[in-house]
Amino acid sequence: MDELRAFLRRRAPGAGELTTARSEADEPEVLSGLYNGATCGAPLAIVIKNADARPADYEATRDVPRPSHADYPARVKFNNRHDASGGGHFSGRLTTPLCAAGGICLQLLREINIFVGAHILRVGSASDDPFDPVRVSEKDFCAVKINPLPVLNREAGEAMRVLIAKAKEDGDSVGGVIECAAVGLPAGLGDPMFDGIENRVAQIVFGIPGVKGIEFGSGFAGAAARGSINNDAFYFDGGEVRTRTNNCGGILGGMTDGMPVIFRAAFKPTPSIAAGQESVDLSNSTNTSLHIKGRHDPCIVLRAAPCVEAAAAIALYDAYLCR
Amino acid sequence: MDELRAFLRRRAPGAGELTTARSEADEPEVLSGLYNGATCGAPLAIVIKNADARPADYEATRDVPRPSHADYPARVKFNNRHDASGGGHFSGRLTTPLCAAGGICLQLLREINIFVGAHILRVGSASDDPFDPVRVSEKDFCAVKINPLPVLNREAGEAMRVLIAKAKEDGDSVGGVIECAAVGLPAGLGDPMFDGIENRVAQIVFGIPGVKGIEFGSGFAGAAARGSINNDAFYFDGGEVRTRTNNCGGILGGMTDGMPVIFRAAFKPTPSIAAGQESVDLSNSTNTSLHIKGRHDPCIVLRAAPCVEAAAAIALYDAYLCR
Amino acid sequence: MDELRAFLRRRAPGAGELTTARSEADEPEVLSGLYNGATCGAPLAIVIKNADARPADYEATRDVPRPSHADYPARVKFNNRHDASGGGHFSGRLTTPLCAAGGICLQLLREINIFVGAHILRVGSASDDPFDPVRVSEKDFCAVKINPLPVLNREAGEAMRVLIAKAKEDGDSVGGVIECAAVGLPAGLGDPMFDGIENRVAQIVFGIPGVKGIEFGSGFAGAAARGSINNDAFYFDGGEVRTRTNNCGGILGGMTDGMPVIFRAAFKPTPSIAAGQESVDLSNSTNTSLHIKGRHDPCIVLRAAPCVEAAAAIALYDAYLCR
Amino acid sequence: MDELRAFLRRRAPGAGELTTARSEADEPEVLSGLYNGATCGAPLAIVIKNADARPADYEATRDVPRPSHADYPARVKFNNRHDASGGGHFSGRLTTPLCAAGGICLQLLREINIFVGAHILRVGSASDDPFDPVRVSEKDFCAVKINPLPVLNREAGEAMRVLIAKAKEDGDSVGGVIECAAVGLPAGLGDPMFDGIENRVAQIVFGIPGVKGIEFGSGFAGAAARGSINNDAFYFDGGEVRTRTNNCGGILGGMTDGMPVIFRAAFKPTPSIAAGQESVDLSNSTNTSLHIKGRHDPCIVLRAAPCVEAAAAIALYDAYLCR
């Protein structure tokens, strides 16, 4: 539990002036499944209460959906019976239970020498150094964690910080990209068709609010390349089969090939911005404008690295169990 | 069935010199579930036989895995007991049953006025005009189908053709991007967390061999933007809620918002190329080189548009049934 | 929620001297999914705490499994890491969340004029009047609920009470049979093969601890009959198709036929008895004897009627949603 | 495949004058998944064609549903669009693919020393000797297979034969009970709540057309007993934990306890009888009478033993994989 709490703190706000002013203790309360500090076979039920909710902040948006938020489709889906305050169960806070589940999977994966790590690759126009797709290792994951922002290159982190502060000053927000890698996976994990590693990882990663794209290995860039450049040649490294490059992101035919699994997730800019926006008033079917109050992150990507790690860990551990 | 056969022909090779020389009749044989020309409630079982398989073409690769193919991980996964000829059940031919299932979903969706279409957006450096994310309609889908290549802009198609012919001449291959849109969807389809529209579509689309990335709406480009630019403002268009832009790709909080759903899938270049490649001989653990024989597409993207339509139709019809 | 609480009280102990001396408040605490007194679309999460657990009562059985209890296989399954106190997640208390889920399904079914009811058909040698399989109605379900024991015939209930009191006096326990009916179901619910109504109901009903058998309609007795006797003749009753008898229990080919669904569930006698029993000491691999302390029901069947109703409601509402 | 064919022959008709006059070759044709005589990891697809269908036999029942058959609810469920000939996908012939799947599971279970067997326990009033619930072994399963009818006691089999012949002579049919046992199961298989062994076995066994009841161990008889009689005392037999009796049918808390799993399935009499029956004409909403033509078994129980073995094998192998 100590390790899980430490992991949840990585997601929690409070890393200074750039995240939400909300105070979220994120203290996991275990209802069942834990006995003498270990899982005991009963279903593991964990409750993480939101102690600092302020429903009043959401009064203005009851009938005026926030642009690029779930408000409008949720209202349609649930015939206006849903609890709109705080985004209901479409809130970014839902990444807390995701991180709780993923944090446990990370512990289970580590027992079989599989490690997962993520860093901020891009915020707006500022870019971190990418993981080396062939040589990325647990060391890189540790290096990321000791930096103030989860990046490999501290200067890149500083540039991101400046960029986010500027956006905040402008009452605006900014998006970004998280890069995630998993190392130590044996070859042959993953299942055909709809249960391949890409399918499984994508299904979980798109569960993180704000993710609008995912690519594995050389991804969209690889789609512009020729086969002779993009193919990853096999060779024997001692008794082990490896590839010289890793444009496939460690996945062939939906299965791991023994090289690091690498992918990138694109996060849209936080839709909640202080600047005024055009919207509609659904109570009287008129066009209107909206000024959002509330305490929002100018850049959710700052807190997204552990969420992506968690999502990857859930998908990969599940694929491991299904082997 | 006539309509299904016509749809399957769009995927079949034979559109000239740029696709595989294999002759694939792709004739669906219905074993059950059809009665008097309509589904009758019994499970719909369809067999599409591969009449033109040439297992001998795959003898060379039994112990020498083709780079960037499923050969190696499949061998590890199945302890060398799998049937390697033709890629086994990791072959690109598996898109045929995918298209059969998707072709039926397309018919079911059309009955409720939902239409799905796709075109080749990019092959290497050649780009088609993108769909207009706000105004794309069934007409665009029809326009694509009457062109020799499935593109909106014939000249772009011609440039792609030249590019692919050049790659083929060089014994090489080339990747590309398919853009897909669905129109007519009501707002509010899709479910929270892991069952959102992005999650569902991604899970099926990554089932198409060669797909390495997917992005919805403004996707990776949107991740570099600010919220004030990327947010889609709501307005009333008559009695209907619409958005001025469609950077969210018609999906908010995993749910449709009533605008067109738009996404792009990145396909890696065909890994089977005529040029010699580095690989390993698993029978004696040595490094070796490989020259692939066989009849391969220099660019699978040419035949991928109906596959992506089929995948989207499966995911969207399923989301519709779960509403 | 008031209705749900009333339903949960029917399962709770305290109906006099014949049930466990445990005090179980069974107060459901709603964590999410309820808004203004109605479900709001978010997942409905309910916690029912066990406020009166006495783990010390289970110290004696840590290494000495109680005969006919889950203690022994649970220990093997979880490598002795499970929490054995109170039977862990194999305890009869798990019927509380089952009743919570089922109680909600009962409310949903009632909205579409489907009603479910159950009564004690047998306790040891004492038998209640059976439901009339053709004419059973919601009235019968009401009649059952106003009796001190959930039976149709009060005298039968009195005989059961005497029988249970005698078993308790002897430090023993007694089993029984619950009969359950559902009325108002349209014809054609249920799916082929493994998702028929019998399959669905059985899968849920066997989730109630202590159930060892289930039979639909004439069940085991019908298996001894000839077809000419057991077949249910169709006839028109006004414009409605009905059957003269209901030996099929309202289910043909796994689908409802529009007549009442009827089934019976056999409950084994409570395995926890005061009398001494033979068992093994797993800490030193010797044979030993066991005297169980704790507060146990001499006859769980007394409290089982709402559990069976709940299980049936879950299975039938699910079948209804899948129609 | 030879072993699978031999297993399918046990289900096939043709054991003399008491089964259907239909000729069913039941020859499995493997479409995929088999390579060099062994499963190769690709999905195993098997087609078993019905070569001797006579749709004309079912013309009379198109609008006049056969009593106690799926005809009526299937017509309602599928809005009269279903293929009614031969019972469609509700036909007893669907036990052929069930036996194909189960026959493969039986082979897989045997590799881990788990054996499953079944015999006819009762036909009408004629009863076979029951399995000894504590000592039943693979030998008993072999003894059953060499008898003309699948029973332990040949004389009981002869009595059944006489009884069935008499029913046939009368244009009638008769039901019965199959008893099934599985030996060699380790303790601790099975999962809580809805995925216990009873739940899993029941869900599959009720997929066999005609099954209307199932009971494990002492079942309904045990429900009439006291705990002191029904409880199974533990003892050490060498280093192994066993129980003196097996009233729980080898299952405690939904989990195997290491003793034989024993259950009985009740089959209703074949609903298709030659004698005239009351029914309705759905084409004009009148009452009518029905004389069924066609070639039907007077007692499906004769061919049901391998079906029940197959169902048990599917459920148990699945539980084994989920351990």
Side-chain angles (χ1 to χ4, degrees), chain D residues 49-81:
Chain D
K49 294 213 170 122
N50 184 2
D52 189 36
R54 296 193 198 163
D57 281 358
Y58 297 90
E59 271 309 303
T61 56
R62 188 156 305 280
D63 293 316
V64 182
R66 294 168 293 173
S68 295
H69 253 283
D71 298 344
Y72 172 66
R75 182 184 174 120
V76 174
K77 181 178 180 67
F78 300 120
N79 289 319
N80 204 14
R81 289 184 191 166

Side-chain angles (χ1 to χ4, degrees), chain B residues 225-245:
Chain B
R226 279 189 165 197
S228 57
I229 299 298
N230 197 64
N231 280 3
D232 301 307
F234 289 110
Y235 72 103
F236 269 103
D237 180 14
E240 206 184 346
V241 174
R242 292 178 56 85
T243 58
R244 301 254 179 227
T245 50

Side-chain angles (χ1 to χ4, degrees), chain C residues 84-96:
Chain C
S85 69
H89 65 303
F90 300 97
S91 163
R93 267 196 63 78
L94 266 289
T95 52
T96 317

